[in-house]
Amino acid sequence: MRAMLLVNPKATSTNQRTRDVLIGALSATMNIKVEETAYRGHATLLSRKAHASGYDVVAVLGGDGTINEAANGLLDAEDGKRGSDGSATDRPALLVIPGGSANVFARALGLPNSPVEAAGAVLEAIRDGRRRTVGLGQALWGDESRYFTFCSGLGYDAEVIRAVEGMRGTGRKATPTRYVNTALNHYLSTDKRHAAMTVAGPDVPAAGNIFMAVISNTSPWTYVGSRPVCPTPWASFETGLDLLGLQRLGLPSMLRLLPQIMGVRDTLPAGPHLVQLHDEREFTLTAERPVAFQLDGDYLGEVESVTFRSIPNALQVLV
């Protein structure tokens, strides 16, 4: 089995010694070529190269951002395609070892958050030939198109990610505590009076006055330390996309919502001023003014319209 291993040397939760051990363990099972990512978007180019070169597996040792780039390379999102014509079996399988701060995609697949323990689980999957086929989401805005593995968002959550990325640019790490503190501080200054967004789709009645929209391809949406956050608990890799839209950001509404989304859940949040969608194949969010936009925890700028599509059976994952 030929594999290209993409290693993010700046991954939050690994060091050189740990990476060397993990690479050695994987090399004992597969014929591996190691490539280190050097800049934003590099993993996309490398995984596309692996696909074109006939590799069986693209392995990623890194965080959610590196995994997202690898998935996009495998589905050729940067070629301007508005959908994927191939099937999961036409592409190299994806293998992930968590190395970031949140590792949402890996944990949603059931992998341990520890890179060493996750490597052990992946090696068992390789030995036993275990694969899982997962769907992805796709976001389309302007002339851009990009796939996502677990979530996207517009509004307040993307504003928080933008602020944390700014801190990372000054050398500070993206820890769970930093995200929570930034979210609390930013809540005081975000616009809680003038909702900008409306959602609609081929099978979705229009709903407006949305301040923040969470679009999910699976659940959890994110983690606060070891605790999952599940605003769309019915989302899964085997169904279409889910959405939770908040039509109120005031303190009473947030205090009512937060206890309902913390921890593992099997019931939807309840209460007024919530817009909820489940298992949808396509919908569009439009905004009266530019709003912050994130995808798999990666801030992508401000947008006024994004169409979201479900791409079923997109990738095989060794897990």
Side-chain angles (χ1 to χ4, degrees):
M1 185 182 294
R2 293 176 64 229
M4 181 180 288
L5 174 61
L6 311 183
V7 178
N8 181 356
K10 297 181 180 179
T12 306
S13 61
T14 61
N15 54 37
Q16 187 61 54
R17 178 178 295 179
T18 301
R19 290 192 289 271
D20 288 343
V21 170
L22 296 174
I23 291 169
L26 293 172
S27 297
T29 305
M30 297 181 291
N31 179 13
I32 284 184
K33 180 180 182 181
V34 179
E35 296 277 7
E36 287 196 351
T37 60
Y39 51 85
R40 187 169 181 169
H42 195 190
T44 299
L45 299 177
L46 290 170
S47 63
R48 184 182 297 139
K49 177 181 176 182
H51 190 348
S53 300
Y55 279 81
D56 303 299
V57 174
V58 169
V60 179
L61 173 53
D64 287 314
T66 309
I67 293 168
N68 175 275
E69 289 185 8
N72 272 273
L74 291 175
L75 273 79
D76 258 343
E78 289 187 1
D79 284 347
K81 294 180 181 178
R82 290 284 159 144
S84 175
D85 296 328
S87 67
T89 56
D90 297 326
R91 307 181 183 98
L94 183 66
L95 182 158
V96 297
I97 298 177
S101 58
N103 304 310
V104 179
F105 180 65
R107 292 159 86 176
L109 290 169
L111 288 170
N113 197 35
S114 160
V116 174
E117 293 180 9
V122 165
L123 289 172
E124 288 183 6
I126 295 171
R127 182 195 65 202
D128 298 339
R130 293 199 307 267
R131 298 185 178 212
R132 177 180 178 183
T133 302
V134 301
L136 297 178
Q138 185 185 29
L140 306 99
W141 69 104
D143 295 327
E144 302 291 328
S145 169
R146 187 163 165 181
Y147 298 93
F148 58 99
T149 62
F150 63 92
C151 85
S152 183
L154 287 88
Y156 172 64
D157 79 312
E159 294 170 7
V160 172
I161 289 172
R162 176 175 59 194
V164 172
E165 286 196 0
M167 296 178 193
R168 293 181 69 180
T170 64
R172 285 178 280 184
K173 290 186 177 180
T175 63
T177 300
R178 174 148 290 129
Y179 272 105
V180 171
N181 290 339
T182 302
L184 292 173
N185 291 333
H186 193 72
Y187 176 76
L188 300 175
S189 60
T190 193
D191 186 351
K192 295 181 277 291
R193 292 188 176 185
H194 306 99
M197 290 182 284
T198 298
V199 62
D203 303 310
V204 177
N209 300 315
I210 297 172
F211 285 91
M212 169 182 164
V214 171
I215 300 92
S216 299
N217 186 50
T218 190
S219 186
W221 167 52
T222 189
Y223 288 84
V224 178
S226 61
R227 195 170 187 188
V229 185
C230 302
T232 53
W234 295 352
S236 81
F237 293 121
E238 288 74 39
T239 61
L241 299 177
D242 286 23
L243 174 140
L244 177 67
L246 305 186
Q247 295 175 313
R248 294 285 188 276
L249 281 183
L251 189 58
S253 297
M254 298 303 290
L255 291 177
R256 186 184 304 115
L257 175 66
L258 288 174
Q260 298 187 69
I261 66 175
M262 298 300 297
V264 177
R265 301 279 170 174
D266 58 9
T267 57
L268 296 175
H273 314 304
L274 299 179
V275 178
Q276 295 173 301
L277 302 176
H278 171 60
D279 193 13
E280 296 292 344
R281 61 182 180 86
E282 180 179 324
F283 52 83
T284 298
L285 280 153
T286 56
E288 298 174 354
R289 59 181 182 274
V291 295
F293 172 43
Q294 67 89 6
L295 189 146
D296 278 354
D298 188 8
Y299 177 67
L300 296 180
E302 294 188 336
V303 296
E304 295 183 34
S305 179
V306 184
T307 294
F308 294 95
R309 292 177 181 166
S310 173
I311 310 297
N313 304 318
L315 286 176
Q316 286 194 337
V317 184
L318 290 163
V319 67

